[in-house]
Amino acid sequence: MADTKREIERKFEFSKAKLSRRGVPDLTGTAAIAAVSDQGTVDLDAVYYDTPDQRLAADGLTLRRRTGGADAGWHLKLPVSPGVRDEIATALSDTVPPSLAALVRSRVRGTGLEPQVRLISSRRVSHLLDAEGALLAELSTDAVRAERGESTAAWTEVEVELADGVDPGLLEAVEKTFRKAGLRVSDAPSKLARALAETGTAPPTRPAPDPGDGTAGAYVLAYLREQRDALVALDPAVRRGLPDSVHQMRVAGRRMRSAFKTYRKVLDRAVTDPIGEELRLLAAELGVDRDQEVLLERIQTRLGELPRTLLLGPVRSRLRTWNTTRRSGSRRRALAVLDSARHLALLDSLDALLANPPLLDAAAGPAESVLPKAVLRDYERLAGRVDDALRLAPGGERDVALHEARKAAKRARYAAEAAVPALGKPAKRLAKAMKSVQTLLGDHQDSVVAREALRGLAVQAAGAGESAFTWGVLYAREEALAERRERELPAIWAEVSAPGLRTGLG
């Protein structure tokens, strides 16, 4: 069984080797630190695993098997933000635990994990305590020896890791005290990074998306790389069930699909269309659980808005039963998709596309002239769909047309967002306007979906001999909300379709 903890820490090193002989300064009196309690010394032996080309290190992940100390076992550290990582630990075993292997699969794929470097440390541990004796942080001074083949390196490192719930400002105060004693924040983000750098080859760094020569093709490829990186990075978050991770992964996939269509004069759709279809299928599979979660939250919110006098029958237990039935197996299905050979093939195909992009003639043109035409083409597509929907009478046909307009608004928004690095404020203004249309139409579509669900709940309740009154009330409220959104659309569309909003885009 895996245990997870949020690790907030800061690593320091002595600015001069001779200063390490003095040790760290006494932190008593620094911020809320009232006492420093010596916990003794422990010997640690850790072997770090990675692919031969160090894919985990390139993304700031570390996977190790460590003996010694109170937390001997396998540890996977996933970066959250600078100085913050999630550490996932499992029991000792001879091989990489399947649960941890799954969390790095989007990076590793079919390549094996092998020992890369060994770190042997003698760690002196102290607890930093407040006036009541509560733990604020753990202070560790490590004498480290790195072994990598025939190469070795040695250094002393000081680490301060906050206890749960402690204000990160404590690290700032500690750093200020340390600076006066000749310690500075370590240049290396981790022991592994330093070990690799000092025993031969520094860990590779994943290049940031870069528009390069300023051509349309360079900007589009930079945007696609950003979305590809998001797909890969979000994989372990989805597996861990972190909030909003499924939604963000689906958004990354949608953005790529939209870019393939929007910038079809830049990239050959004969190559991108099959990849786009795989991204669509991925979003659909991941969406089964996510869409149900959003729908449940909406209905629960609407129930919470009703006075108790309108809650007739076992409505909440009925809703729980309905939700459990619809979500049964959906998470297992999503994880199976991420583990499938088809998904790994999709990630490989994205890598291949970006490594050898199928650029068309327009890709060589300046971004300032090529990208606006593509963005405005998507805007015109949206305008046509909004006009079509507004000409229809209220009802099912208009609902479908408004849903199509919503999808067009989303694509127009993504097109403008992708062009912001090249076109600046004009594209940013248009993206914001398209988002407002998307939000309104999205609320309308959510109401359509909710009404269908509420009708089904009413049928189930009636069939079980329960009152269907409350579900009918919620249906009527959703119907009224949808009508209100339809009345609001013409005014919002008039505002966002004003010619001045597209000034600067050509």
Short mmCIF file of all heavy atoms in Angstrom, two decimals, residues 144-175:
data_model
loop_
_atom_site.label_atom_id
_atom_site.label_comp_id
_atom_site.label_asym_id
_atom_site.label_seq_id
_atom_site.Cartn_x
_atom_site.Cartn_y
_atom_site.Cartn_z
N VAL A 144 27.16 13.13 2.01
CA VAL A 144 26.69 12.31 0.90
C VAL A 144 27.88 11.80 0.07
O VAL A 144 28.81 12.57 -0.23
CB VAL A 144 25.75 13.11 -0.02
CG1 VAL A 144 25.18 12.22 -1.12
CG2 VAL A 144 24.62 13.75 0.80
N ARG A 145 27.81 10.53 -0.31
CA ARG A 145 28.75 9.97 -1.27
C ARG A 145 27.94 9.38 -2.42
O ARG A 145 27.06 8.54 -2.20
CB ARG A 145 29.62 8.90 -0.63
CG ARG A 145 30.55 8.18 -1.63
CD ARG A 145 31.37 7.09 -0.94
NE ARG A 145 32.09 6.26 -1.90
CZ ARG A 145 33.26 6.56 -2.43
NH1 ARG A 145 33.84 7.70 -2.11
NH2 ARG A 145 33.85 5.75 -3.30
N ALA A 146 28.23 9.84 -3.63
CA ALA A 146 27.54 9.35 -4.82
C ALA A 146 28.45 8.40 -5.58
O ALA A 146 29.63 8.68 -5.78
CB ALA A 146 27.14 10.52 -5.72
N GLU A 147 27.88 7.26 -6.04
CA GLU A 147 28.63 6.28 -6.82
C GLU A 147 27.87 6.00 -8.11
O GLU A 147 26.68 5.65 -8.09
CB GLU A 147 28.79 4.98 -6.03
CG GLU A 147 29.55 5.15 -4.72
CD GLU A 147 29.63 3.86 -3.92
OE1 GLU A 147 28.97 2.88 -4.34
OE2 GLU A 147 30.33 3.83 -2.90
N ARG A 148 28.57 6.16 -9.22
CA ARG A 148 27.97 5.93 -10.54
C ARG A 148 29.02 5.28 -11.42
O ARG A 148 29.89 5.95 -11.98
CB ARG A 148 27.51 7.25 -11.13
CG ARG A 148 26.72 7.14 -12.42
CD ARG A 148 26.40 8.54 -12.90
NE ARG A 148 25.60 8.56 -14.10
CZ ARG A 148 25.42 9.66 -14.83
NH1 ARG A 148 25.98 10.81 -14.48
NH2 ARG A 148 24.68 9.61 -15.91
N GLY A 149 28.95 3.95 -11.49
CA GLY A 149 30.00 3.24 -12.21
C GLY A 149 31.32 3.43 -11.49
O GLY A 149 31.44 3.20 -10.28
N GLU A 150 32.33 3.91 -12.21
CA GLU A 150 33.64 4.17 -11.62
C GLU A 150 33.75 5.56 -11.02
O GLU A 150 34.74 5.88 -10.36
CB GLU A 150 34.73 3.98 -12.69
CG GLU A 150 34.79 2.58 -13.29
CD GLU A 150 35.13 1.53 -12.24
OE1 GLU A 150 35.99 1.81 -11.38
OE2 GLU A 150 34.53 0.44 -12.27
N SER A 151 32.75 6.41 -11.26
CA SER A 151 32.81 7.80 -10.82
C SER A 151 32.18 7.96 -9.44
O SER A 151 31.19 7.29 -9.11
CB SER A 151 32.08 8.71 -11.81
OG SER A 151 32.66 8.63 -13.09
N THR A 152 32.78 8.84 -8.65
CA THR A 152 32.24 9.14 -7.32
C THR A 152 32.27 10.65 -7.09
O THR A 152 32.98 11.40 -7.77
CB THR A 152 33.06 8.45 -6.21
OG1 THR A 152 34.40 8.96 -6.23
CG2 THR A 152 33.06 6.95 -6.38
N ALA A 153 31.48 11.07 -6.14
CA ALA A 153 31.46 12.48 -5.73
C ALA A 153 31.00 12.52 -4.28
O ALA A 153 30.30 11.62 -3.81
CB ALA A 153 30.53 13.30 -6.61
N ALA A 154 31.43 13.56 -3.56
CA ALA A 154 31.04 13.69 -2.17
C ALA A 154 30.77 15.15 -1.84
O ALA A 154 31.43 16.05 -2.38
CB ALA A 154 32.13 13.12 -1.26
N TRP A 155 29.80 15.38 -0.99
CA TRP A 155 29.48 16.74 -0.56
C TRP A 155 28.65 16.69 0.72
O TRP A 155 28.17 15.63 1.13
CB TRP A 155 28.73 17.50 -1.65
CG TRP A 155 27.34 17.00 -1.93
CD1 TRP A 155 26.18 17.40 -1.33
CD2 TRP A 155 26.96 15.99 -2.88
NE1 TRP A 155 25.10 16.71 -1.85
CE2 TRP A 155 25.55 15.85 -2.80
CE3 TRP A 155 27.66 15.19 -3.79
CZ2 TRP A 155 24.84 14.95 -3.59
CZ3 TRP A 155 26.96 14.30 -4.57
CH2 TRP A 155 25.57 14.19 -4.48
N THR A 156 28.51 17.84 1.34
CA THR A 156 27.65 17.98 2.52
C THR A 156 26.46 18.84 2.15
O THR A 156 26.62 19.89 1.53
CB THR A 156 28.42 18.61 3.70
OG1 THR A 156 29.52 17.76 4.05
CG2 THR A 156 27.51 18.78 4.91
N GLU A 157 25.29 18.39 2.54
CA GLU A 157 24.06 19.10 2.20
C GLU A 157 23.21 19.24 3.45
O GLU A 157 23.15 18.34 4.29
CB GLU A 157 23.29 18.30 1.14
CG GLU A 157 21.98 18.92 0.70
CD GLU A 157 21.33 18.10 -0.41
OE1 GLU A 157 21.82 18.17 -1.55
OE2 GLU A 157 20.34 17.39 -0.12
N VAL A 158 22.56 20.40 3.57
CA VAL A 158 21.68 20.67 4.70
C VAL A 158 20.26 20.84 4.15
O VAL A 158 20.06 21.54 3.15
CB VAL A 158 22.12 21.94 5.46
CG1 VAL A 158 21.15 22.23 6.61
CG2 VAL A 158 23.54 21.78 5.97
N GLU A 159 19.32 20.22 4.82
CA GLU A 159 17.93 20.24 4.34
C GLU A 159 17.00 20.56 5.50
O GLU A 159 17.16 20.04 6.60
CB GLU A 159 17.59 18.87 3.75
CG GLU A 159 16.17 18.69 3.26
CD GLU A 159 15.94 17.28 2.74
OE1 GLU A 159 16.58 16.90 1.75
OE2 GLU A 159 15.16 16.54 3.36
N VAL A 160 16.04 21.45 5.22
CA VAL A 160 15.02 21.78 6.21
C VAL A 160 13.67 21.44 5.59
O VAL A 160 13.29 22.00 4.57
CB VAL A 160 15.06 23.26 6.62
CG1 VAL A 160 13.95 23.56 7.64
CG2 VAL A 160 16.42 23.62 7.19
N GLU A 161 12.95 20.49 6.20
CA GLU A 161 11.64 20.06 5.70
C GLU A 161 10.57 20.41 6.72
O GLU A 161 10.65 20.02 7.88
CB GLU A 161 11.63 18.56 5.43
CG GLU A 161 10.30 18.06 4.88
CD GLU A 161 10.29 16.58 4.58
OE1 GLU A 161 11.37 15.97 4.48
OE2 GLU A 161 9.17 16.01 4.46
N LEU A 162 9.56 21.15 6.28
CA LEU A 162 8.51 21.60 7.17
C LEU A 162 7.61 20.45 7.61
O LEU A 162 7.33 19.53 6.83
CB LEU A 162 7.64 22.66 6.49
CG LEU A 162 8.31 23.98 6.11
CD1 LEU A 162 7.29 24.91 5.46
CD2 LEU A 162 8.95 24.65 7.32
N ALA A 163 7.13 20.53 8.84
CA ALA A 163 6.09 19.62 9.30
C ALA A 163 4.77 20.03 8.67
O ALA A 163 4.62 21.15 8.16
CB ALA A 163 6.00 19.65 10.82
N ASP A 164 3.80 19.14 8.72
CA ASP A 164 2.49 19.42 8.11
C ASP A 164 1.85 20.67 8.72
O ASP A 164 1.82 20.83 9.94
CB ASP A 164 1.55 18.23 8.31
CG ASP A 164 1.99 17.01 7.52
OD1 ASP A 164 2.81 17.15 6.60
OD2 ASP A 164 1.50 15.89 7.83
N GLY A 165 1.37 21.54 7.83
CA GLY A 165 0.62 22.70 8.27
C GLY A 165 1.44 23.88 8.73
O GLY A 165 0.87 24.90 9.15
N VAL A 166 2.75 23.80 8.68
CA VAL A 166 3.60 24.90 9.13
C VAL A 166 3.73 25.95 8.03
O VAL A 166 3.88 25.62 6.85
CB VAL A 166 4.98 24.38 9.56
CG1 VAL A 166 5.92 25.53 9.92
CG2 VAL A 166 4.84 23.44 10.74
N ASP A 167 3.70 27.21 8.42
CA ASP A 167 3.82 28.33 7.48
C ASP A 167 5.16 28.26 6.74
O ASP A 167 6.22 28.23 7.38
CB ASP A 167 3.71 29.65 8.25
CG ASP A 167 3.73 30.87 7.34
OD1 ASP A 167 3.93 30.72 6.12
OD2 ASP A 167 3.55 31.99 7.88
N PRO A 168 5.13 28.23 5.39
CA PRO A 168 6.39 28.20 4.62
C PRO A 168 7.30 29.39 4.89
O PRO A 168 8.48 29.37 4.56
CB PRO A 168 5.90 28.20 3.17
CG PRO A 168 4.53 27.62 3.22
CD PRO A 168 3.95 28.11 4.52
N GLY A 169 6.76 30.45 5.50
CA GLY A 169 7.59 31.59 5.85
C GLY A 169 8.73 31.22 6.78
O GLY A 169 9.74 31.94 6.86
N LEU A 170 8.59 30.09 7.50
CA LEU A 170 9.67 29.64 8.37
C LEU A 170 10.94 29.38 7.57
O LEU A 170 12.06 29.65 8.04
CB LEU A 170 9.24 28.37 9.11
CG LEU A 170 10.30 27.77 10.05
CD1 LEU A 170 10.55 28.69 11.24
CD2 LEU A 170 9.86 26.40 10.55
N LEU A 171 10.79 28.87 6.35
CA LEU A 171 11.96 28.60 5.52
C LEU A 171 12.70 29.88 5.15
O LEU A 171 13.93 29.88 5.05
CB LEU A 171 11.54 27.86 4.24
CG LEU A 171 11.00 26.43 4.44
CD1 LEU A 171 10.53 25.86 3.12
CD2 LEU A 171 12.06 25.53 5.05
N GLU A 172 11.97 30.96 4.96
CA GLU A 172 12.61 32.24 4.65
C GLU A 172 13.45 32.70 5.83
O GLU A 172 14.57 33.21 5.66
CB GLU A 172 11.55 33.29 4.31
CG GLU A 172 10.66 32.94 3.13
CD GLU A 172 11.43 32.84 1.83
OE1 GLU A 172 12.48 33.51 1.70
OE2 GLU A 172 10.99 32.07 0.95
N ALA A 173 12.90 32.55 7.03
CA ALA A 173 13.64 32.97 8.23
C ALA A 173 14.89 32.11 8.42
O ALA A 173 15.97 32.62 8.76
CB ALA A 173 12.73 32.88 9.45
N VAL A 174 14.76 30.79 8.21
CA VAL A 174 15.91 29.90 8.32
C VAL A 174 16.98 30.27 7.29
O VAL A 174 18.18 30.33 7.61
CB VAL A 174 15.47 28.44 8.15
CG1 VAL A 174 16.69 27.52 8.00
CG2 VAL A 174 14.62 28.00 9.33
N GLU A 175 16.55 30.53 6.06
CA GLU A 175 17.51 30.89 5.01
C GLU A 175 18.29 32.15 5.39
O GLU A 175 19.50 32.24 5.17
CB GLU A 175 16.78 31.11 3.69
CG GLU A 175 17.71 31.47 2.55
CD GLU A 175 16.98 31.70 1.24
OE1 GLU A 175 15.85 31.22 1.09
OE2 GLU A 175 17.56 32.39 0.36
#
